[in-house]
Amino acid sequence: MDSKVWQSHPVGNFSDCPNGSQWVWDVFNECAQDGWDIASIVLGLVSIVCFAAASFPQYYQACKTGNMDEALSIYFLLGWLAGDSFNLIGSFLADQLPLQTYTAIYYVSADLIMLSLYCYYKVKNQNGGFLAPINVIFAFIFLGTVSTTSLLGGGGSLAQETMVTMKGRTLLSAAVDESGHESFSKKEIIGFTIGSLSSLMYLLSRVPQIYTNFKRKSTAGVSYSLFALVMLGNTLYGVSVLLKNPNPGQTKGDYTLHHLPWLIGSLGVLSLDIGISFQFLAYRNRRPSTGEEREALLSS
């Protein structure tokens, strides 16, 4: 899940956005000069709604079936949390608008709820047993996220110091040096690195879930709506990035390069989620999961 669609601009004013939409500038500090830019913003907003709602179907499915610990891979959940954690860190370093920061915090919170449900059913289905490595990994990532967030809360000086080098209206817009060449600023390099790590975590998280489905030969206990909403969100996000016009003096190629980590993260994860969708089709007539079989035996 990704919320890096807009960025706040403490420098500059609406006069820097000729023929732009006043309301878009007032609300998002984003320069929308034509219908393509406005469409990009609208699609970005809808994608955020899809990502925000994606977890709820899985919450319901977990409570309904009670086999979440067998249906979902712990490494899928941890990878998703890691991706959203890097996204949250990036929202602080990039000095994003409150909407993006709050959204990133919500994503991490939703992931922690999902992990909590997983742990609850792991304990319940194993009669109090728990895998120590899972507990250690979960605690490490949780504490790391909280401590990093608290440190970044007082580290706005980095963003402020590097913001003056920015000449664009997007997260990874190009800085222009005195010779007129576009180059990556210090802040852009940090943002690019964090974005790349976030996208990598999203991509890697799908592999263990695909393997878990294949091993079980079943998708029982997994909500397809979770992946459907994420696929829709990633599609809309990717299209929103591609629809936006490059900044003045920036070519389409440079614009695409500066957004490459997020495009790979959204469209790459989309391709893997399509693979999971085929698993839902292939295993739709399979028998219930082993957890449900165990419950049936215990009740007989």
Side-chain angles (χ1 to χ4, degrees):
M1 293 180 282
D2 204 327
S3 62
K4 291 180 171 61
V5 185
W6 309 283
Q7 173 193 358
S8 71
H9 306 285
V11 294
N13 51 57
F14 188 61
S15 62
D16 298 325
C17 182
N19 304 318
S21 172
Q22 181 69 57
W23 75 267
V24 172
W25 180 272
D26 292 339
V27 176
F28 303 112
N29 276 17
E30 180 78 11
C31 185
Q33 299 192 21
D34 56 21
W36 294 110
D37 286 339
I38 294 178
S40 173
I41 291 173
V42 171
L43 291 179
L45 282 173
V46 177
S47 72
I48 290 177
V49 173
C50 292
F51 290 135
S55 299
F56 289 98
Q58 187 58 53
Y59 296 158
Y60 173 77
Q61 190 76 4
C63 296
K64 179 181 178 181
T65 62
N67 69 337
M68 185 176 179
D69 57 309
E70 294 179 348
L72 294 181
S73 167
I74 182 63
Y75 299 107
F76 164 64
L77 298 178
L78 290 174
W80 203 341
L81 174 61
D84 285 337
S85 298
F86 282 120
N87 184 32
L88 175 60
I89 294 171
S91 70
F92 281 97
L93 291 180
D95 192 30
Q96 290 189 356
L97 291 169
L99 172 64
Q100 281 69 61
T101 301
Y102 296 150
T103 302
I105 293 174
Y106 169 81
Y107 290 160
V108 173
S109 301
D111 295 341
L112 292 176
I113 293 175
M114 191 87 74
L115 273 169
S116 298
L117 282 173
Y118 179 96
C119 294
Y120 169 76
Y121 286 109
K122 191 73 176 179
V123 172
K124 180 180 179 180
N125 293 335
Q126 291 190 356
N127 296 322
F130 197 78
L131 297 179
I134 292 177
N135 194 16
V136 171
I137 293 173
F138 171 73
F140 176 78
I141 292 182
F142 175 75
L143 293 176
T145 301
V146 173
S147 60
T148 303
T149 301
S150 62
L151 289 174
L152 290 176
S157 58
L158 173 63
Q160 296 297 328
E161 291 173 359
T162 55
M163 182 67 72
V164 295
T165 65
M166 304 295 291
K167 300 295 182 181
R169 301 262 192 289
T170 56
L171 179 64
L172 290 177
S173 53
V176 182
D177 57 27
E178 294 179 356
S179 63
H181 295 291
E182 294 179 350
S183 60
F184 283 99
S185 67
K186 179 180 178 181
K187 181 185 174 206
E188 289 180 298
I189 294 174
I190 296 174
F192 196 95
T193 301
I194 293 177
S196 298
L197 290 173
S198 178
S199 298
L200 179 63
M201 292 298 101
Y202 290 136
L203 286 169
L204 293 179
S205 70
R206 276 10 184 221
V207 177
Q209 186 58 46
I210 291 174
Y211 174 74
T212 296
N213 293 341
F214 175 78
K215 183 179 179 180
R216 296 171 63 227
K217 294 296 188 295
S218 172
T219 56
V222 183
S223 172
Y224 180 69
S225 297
L226 165 68
F227 294 96
L229 286 171
V230 170
M231 284 192 294
L232 179 59
N234 277 320
T235 300
L236 294 176
Y237 175 78
V239 173
S240 72
V241 172
L242 295 175
L243 283 181
K244 192 180 186 309
N245 293 310
N247 299 301
Q250 186 181 40
T251 66
K252 191 67 175 179
D254 289 333
Y255 170 82
T256 303
L257 175 63
H258 282 68
H259 288 80
L260 192 59
W262 291 272
L263 286 173
I264 293 176
S266 62
L267 300 181
V269 169
L270 174 62
S271 63
L272 294 177
D273 285 344
I274 290 176
I276 293 178
S277 297
F278 281 113
Q279 288 185 318
F280 273 89
L281 290 174
Y283 303 143
R284 65 185 183 278
N285 294 324
R286 295 280 181 173
R287 295 176 61 191
S289 66
T290 56
E292 292 169 324
E293 292 173 342
R294 182 176 61 245
E295 290 183 3
L297 289 174
L298 291 176
S299 61
S300 61

